[in-house]
């Protein structure tokens, strides 16, 4: 029979009784002898237990591993939290899958998830992964360059023109020149005249280089290419084509195939060769490059210019010309890029123009920035 005493301690039976608590929230804790207990505050004992788990170094905390176990971190908890916060911030601003770096640091598109984005620190272009490997003949392969749309006329393209003068264009000879241009057309051309789309040559006429323009032909409009002051019809009555008003892409190259020809694709049409009127392409030498109108401010394009790229290299394959000229299914202004086309020698990106901050535009491949001229003429 057990005899309980007034202090709560039990005698007999070889065990220990409950200790007398001196305050609320205390629990019985073994003294270690196995036969006696003392009353101790619960919080103090938990603190001692945690201290035994994570050590006595200041700044440590307990992290659960999700499986009922406890892991620990050290004084770099702030670094862990900073990483978590950065991730949350990137998600909040819609760039959760975005990386930033030089173009040569960009990963293979198939090595990252579909829709992942890469921002080039070289020219601040944003590119979107298709999630599949590069294939020059497949439009949706590789990395796609994103151009914003639906955010105002001044941001998705330039209403006006942009150009650079006195550029060494001597490398842009026949069989070594390809030009791609993305633009929007309002469908208007002044009567009995024309609207210049792109210029790689003279700033005051069409004597040398490549000039693509929309030329009035009675009540219709022809898509033309000029060199040596002579025009060649690329597409007659282009105004009557489906979706004549809106987004367009033209890729053109002067080539020799028996005779001098314009090789081109318009909006992804089958690549065609048309003999150059007058018989000869004239290389531009040191001259002008730009789009939207001639540098002398004559013959403005009624619409918006968005991007122009020029390659001073052997003419691209038909597959690559077709890929560059094929418009996206939706007007997101994403142009394809492939390993074989690579970066253009000259890149003019009017979509980056902000009229609030500058009258010039950055351009890759030329020594000076683009000059922005005026606004669209009222026709």
């Amino acid at each position: 029979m057990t005899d309980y005493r007034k202090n709560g301690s039990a005698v007999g039976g070889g065990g220990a009784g409950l200790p007398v608590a001196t305050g609320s929230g205390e629990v019985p804790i073994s003294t270690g002898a196995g036969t006696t207990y003392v009353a101790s505050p619960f919080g103090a004992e938990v603190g001692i237990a945690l201290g035994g788990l994570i050590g006595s170094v200041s700044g440590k905390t307990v992290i659960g591993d999700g499986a009922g176990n406890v892991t620990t971190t050290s004084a770099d908890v702030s670094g862990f939290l900073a990483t978590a916060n950065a991730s949350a911030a990137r998600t909040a601003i819609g760039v959760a899958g975005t990386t930033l770096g030089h173009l040569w640091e960009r990963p293979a598109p198939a090595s990252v998830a579909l829709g992942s984005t890469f921002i080039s620190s070289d020219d601040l272009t944003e590119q979107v992964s298709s999630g599949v490997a590069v294939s020059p003949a497949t439009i949706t392969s590789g990395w796609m360059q994103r151009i914003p749309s639906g955010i105002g006329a001044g941001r998705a393209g330039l209403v006006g023109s942009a150009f650079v003068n006195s550029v060494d264009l001597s490398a842009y000879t026949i069989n070594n020149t390809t030009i791609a241009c993305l633009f929007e057309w309002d469908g208007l051309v002044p009567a009995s005249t024309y609207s210049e789309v792109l210029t790689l040559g003279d700033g005051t006429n069409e004597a040398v280089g490549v000039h693509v323009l929309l030329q009035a032909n009675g009540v219709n409009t022809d898509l033309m290419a000029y060199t040596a002051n002579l025009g060649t019809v690329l597409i007659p009555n282009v105004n009557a084509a489906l979706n004549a008003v809106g987004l367009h892409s033209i890729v053109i190259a002067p080539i020799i195939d028996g005779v001098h020809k314009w090789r081109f694709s318009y909006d992804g049409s089958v690549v065609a060769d048309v003999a150059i009127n007058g018989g000869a392409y004239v290389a531009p030498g040191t001259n002008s490059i730009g789009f939207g109108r001639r540098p002398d401010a004559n013959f403005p394009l009624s619409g918006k210019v968005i991007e122009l790229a020029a390659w001073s290299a052997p003419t691209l394959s038909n597959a690559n010309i077709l890929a560059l000229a094929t418009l996206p299914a939706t007007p997101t202004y994403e142009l394809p890029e492939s390993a074989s086309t690579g970066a253009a020698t000259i890149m003019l990106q009017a979509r980056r123009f902000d009229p609030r901050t500058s009258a010039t535009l950055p351009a890759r491949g030329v020594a000076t920035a683009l000059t922005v001229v005026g606004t669209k003429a009222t026709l």
Side-chain angles (χ1 to χ4, degrees):
M1 179 174 180
T2 302
D3 178 20
Y4 289 95
R5 300 178 180 177
K6 290 182 180 180
N7 65 2
S9 297
V11 293
L18 295 175
V20 175
T22 60
S24 63
E26 292 183 342
V27 294
I29 300 296
S30 170
T31 61
T35 58
T36 60
Y37 290 85
V38 295
S40 178
F42 176 79
E45 297 302 326
V46 171
I48 293 171
L50 290 177
L53 284 171
I54 65 177
S56 58
V57 177
S58 175
K60 287 192 174 183
T61 189
V62 174
I63 304 292
D65 65 359
N69 301 310
V70 173
T71 60
T72 62
T73 66
S74 60
D76 64 356
V77 172
S78 60
F80 173 85
L81 294 176
T83 300
N85 289 339
S87 176
R90 289 156 71 91
T91 299
I93 63 175
V95 292
T98 298
T99 55
L100 174 70
H102 295 292
L103 279 174
W104 59 84
E105 297 172 318
R106 185 181 63 183
S111 69
V112 295
L114 170 68
S116 297
T117 52
F118 179 89
I119 297 178
S120 166
S121 59
D122 302 308
D123 59 8
L124 298 182
T125 55
E126 182 183 12
Q127 297 156 50
V128 185
S129 171
S130 64
V132 298
V134 169
S135 176
T138 303
I139 305 305
T140 56
S141 68
W143 287 93
M144 310 289 286
Q145 186 157 286
R146 173 174 290 165
I147 305 174
S149 64
I151 54 176
R155 302 301 298 275
L158 173 64
V159 179
S161 65
F163 64 89
V164 183
N165 289 321
S166 302
V167 180
D168 182 5
L169 302 173
S170 57
Y172 291 84
T173 58
I174 197 164
N175 285 344
N176 290 286
T177 299
T178 306
I179 306 170
C181 184
L182 185 66
F183 65 100
E184 285 188 356
W185 184 37
D186 289 351
L188 301 174
V189 173
S192 303
T193 185
Y194 56 84
S195 298
E196 189 113 355
V197 175
L198 69 89
T199 297
L200 184 82
D202 287 308
T204 57
N205 53 47
E206 285 73 34
V208 300
V210 182
H211 302 263
V212 173
L213 47 88
L214 295 158
Q215 182 167 316
N217 178 14
V219 297
N220 289 309
T221 301
D222 298 337
L223 182 68
M224 308 282 293
Y226 270 75
T227 193
N229 286 321
L230 293 171
T232 303
V233 177
L234 301 179
I235 300 178
N237 304 336
V238 71
N239 59 300
L242 182 66
N243 300 321
V245 175
L247 184 67
H248 296 284
S249 179
I250 174 74
V251 179
I252 189 166
I255 66 161
I256 297 176
D257 183 10
V259 297
H260 289 205
K261 296 180 178 180
W262 295 116
R263 175 167 290 170
F264 76 98
S265 177
Y266 181 70
D267 291 352
S269 60
V270 175
V271 177
D273 294 349
V274 177
I276 292 178
N277 184 26
Y281 167 76
V282 183
T286 298
N287 251 296
S288 305
I289 185 169
F291 50 9
R293 69 175 75 185
R294 290 194 326 206
D296 63 3
N298 290 331
F299 311 112
L301 174 69
S302 179
K304 293 183 290 187
V305 289
I306 300 167
E307 180 171 300
L308 184 146
W311 288 261
S312 59
T315 304
L316 302 180
S317 68
N318 282 14
N320 284 319
I321 289 176
L322 182 63
L324 285 168
T326 300
L327 292 171
T330 57
T332 55
Y333 298 169
E334 292 180 0
L335 296 179
E337 179 186 9
S338 75
S340 50
T341 60
T345 312
I346 296 176
M347 178 74 76
L348 314 181
Q349 297 166 314
R351 66 183 181 277
R352 285 158 51 187
F353 174 65
D354 188 338
R356 299 169 301 177
T357 60
S358 176
T360 62
L361 288 175
R364 186 173 68 213
V366 296
T368 57
L370 289 166
T371 299
V372 177
V373 177
T375 59
K376 179 180 64 179
T378 300
L379 303 177

